[in-house]
Amino acid sequence: MSSHSFGAAAIVEAVNAVRSGTIDRAAAVTRVRPADVEAALHRAVQAGGATVLTVGIGASPGAAVGKLCFSSDEVLDATDRGEQVVLVCEETTPADEIGMRLAEGVLTAKGGLSSHAAVVARGWGIPAVCGADALRFGDRSVSVGDRTLGPDDVITIDGSSGEVLLGSVDVSEEDVPPELEVLLAWADEIRGDRVGVRANADTGEDATRARTFGCEGIGLCRTEHMFLGDRLPLVQHMILAEGPDEEAAALDALHAAQLEDFVSILEAMDGLPVTVRLLDPPLHEFLPDVEHLVAAEATGSLSDGDRTLFDAARRWAEQNPMLGTRGVRLGILKDGLYRMQVRALLDAAIERLAVGGRPQVEIMIPLVVTGTELALVRGWVLDEIHQAETRSGRSLDVAVGTMIETPRAALCAADIALTADFFSFGTNDLTQMVFGFSRDDVATRVIGPYLELGLLERDPFESIDVAGVGQLVASATDNGRAASPELKVGVCGEHGGDPASIAFFVDAGLDYVSCSPFRVPVARLAAAQALLDSAG
């Protein structure tokens, strides 16, 4: 029996034991492992003698079989022909998300559990293997040792074990027994209102899916994902605008696009809180790759339009963009951008109110490091709320908080809490900055050997580092609430779906955890188990 089948069997057995009077509900919730729930929710590779090409990091659970595609464009063409494909590349960027949505799975040579490919794949329930650093890429080909594969070759990836297998391997389907929802309902009774479980979701479709998994709101809506695909030119027009009039026109076009998205998300989450993070990444992520444009210039194939983008890409390029002009820093330099996003969100809430909806809006300011930063941007938000209420004649109840994702923000939590309605810990960035680890670069080159040598007990991007990062979370929570007793505190980093991390967050007194939609059932069970452990 595969681990997949064992997971479903464990759930059924626990529920039947309660029905027969052998154990009580709390014992059943304790008996089923979070891994059993995860196994039941995803496809799994069947045991067999398949050839293992290489092993990377199991970054998003499940199994996928398909032909190799080396770009999003290839994925689009292949799926148009009705083919099942796996996107294989060095690493993914936001520009690849249209292809990722259509692929059966994703395989990357770089990155780890908190890389772009891993985070996005988990959010969409797509199997992913990352950090398979033995892969060597050629012209529409990939090599592992002396074996080279091209577009007509098929592979199978196991997003749980990290194995990459040659050919099409038998894969079991999801096996979600009806007893799972019974068990999770018992877990919810135990949790009550002590620990909430929210989802990280960026579209109405994702929000709807998350709600079917039993989430109690959205803890992280990443607005940058709304700027991609056919909307990318709108962002580029804003970046390239010459003068305030051109920039205002570009922002108006973005407002219309964001309004549509926010309405669909608030509708899907009607009556539940929706935490919307204002734009976080640096602007260079919305521009073409500089190296690609340099190569085009060298060959004389750079068009006039490309040259304009090239100039902008070089102007916004930074040596270390993840520590550069991003988050609140970008919002302060381009205040019209944040104001536009807030205005679109408020207009969406008003539109929902007009049809009898019950929107609960929370606006989150990213990468804050000082209380004065938050106070400045909060002032803009309050000004936009006042204007929206005046325009509509409606009263809006909007919370304004911040993402605690830098060590300084955690250390200065008492000061920041004075102007925050809530904190949400962004543990991916916080872990990166506390350790000085690049979450995209150390996954295989450093973390693997460190684990083997016993220099780390576990991957800190997979499970919270209690001694370091965890202490910042706990102290920031305590100090923030000491300064502002009504402060709500949650976590929206990927640790919010890890059972061991959830146990720590429960002990630290957080109000909720937020995770990828497909991890919500796991988090519901893990939070209940943590509460039972702490009580007994």
Side-chain angles (χ1 to χ4, degrees), residues 33 225 455 472:
R33 300 174 305 155
H225 289 180
L455 301 177
L472 285 179

CSV table of all heavy atoms in Angstrom, one decimal, residues 33 225 455 472:
chain,number,residue,atom,x,y,z
A,33,ARG,N,-2.1,11.8,11.6
A,33,ARG,CA,-0.9,12.7,11.4
A,33,ARG,C,-1.2,13.7,10.3
A,33,ARG,O,-2.0,13.4,9.3
A,33,ARG,CB,0.3,11.9,10.9
A,33,ARG,CG,0.8,10.8,11.9
A,33,ARG,CD,1.9,10.0,11.3
A,33,ARG,NE,1.5,9.5,10.0
A,33,ARG,CZ,2.3,9.1,9.0
A,33,ARG,NH1,3.6,9.3,9.1
A,33,ARG,NH2,1.8,8.6,7.8
A,225,HIS,N,0.8,39.7,-8.2
A,225,HIS,CA,0.3,38.6,-9.1
A,225,HIS,C,-0.8,39.1,-10.0
A,225,HIS,O,-1.1,38.5,-11.0
A,225,HIS,CB,-0.1,37.4,-8.3
A,225,HIS,CG,1.0,36.6,-7.7
A,225,HIS,ND1,0.9,35.5,-7.0
A,225,HIS,CD2,2.4,36.9,-7.7
A,225,HIS,CE1,2.1,35.1,-6.5
A,225,HIS,NE2,3.0,35.9,-7.0
A,455,LEU,N,25.0,20.4,11.2
A,455,LEU,CA,25.2,21.8,11.5
A,455,LEU,C,23.8,22.6,11.6
A,455,LEU,O,23.7,23.6,12.2
A,455,LEU,CB,26.0,22.5,10.4
A,455,LEU,CG,27.4,21.9,10.3
A,455,LEU,CD1,28.2,22.6,9.1
A,455,LEU,CD2,28.2,22.0,11.6
A,472,LEU,N,12.3,35.9,17.8
A,472,LEU,CA,11.9,37.2,17.3
A,472,LEU,C,10.4,37.3,17.1
A,472,LEU,O,9.8,38.3,17.4
A,472,LEU,CB,12.6,37.5,15.9
A,472,LEU,CG,14.1,37.9,16.0
A,472,LEU,CD1,14.6,38.1,14.6
A,472,LEU,CD2,14.3,39.1,16.8
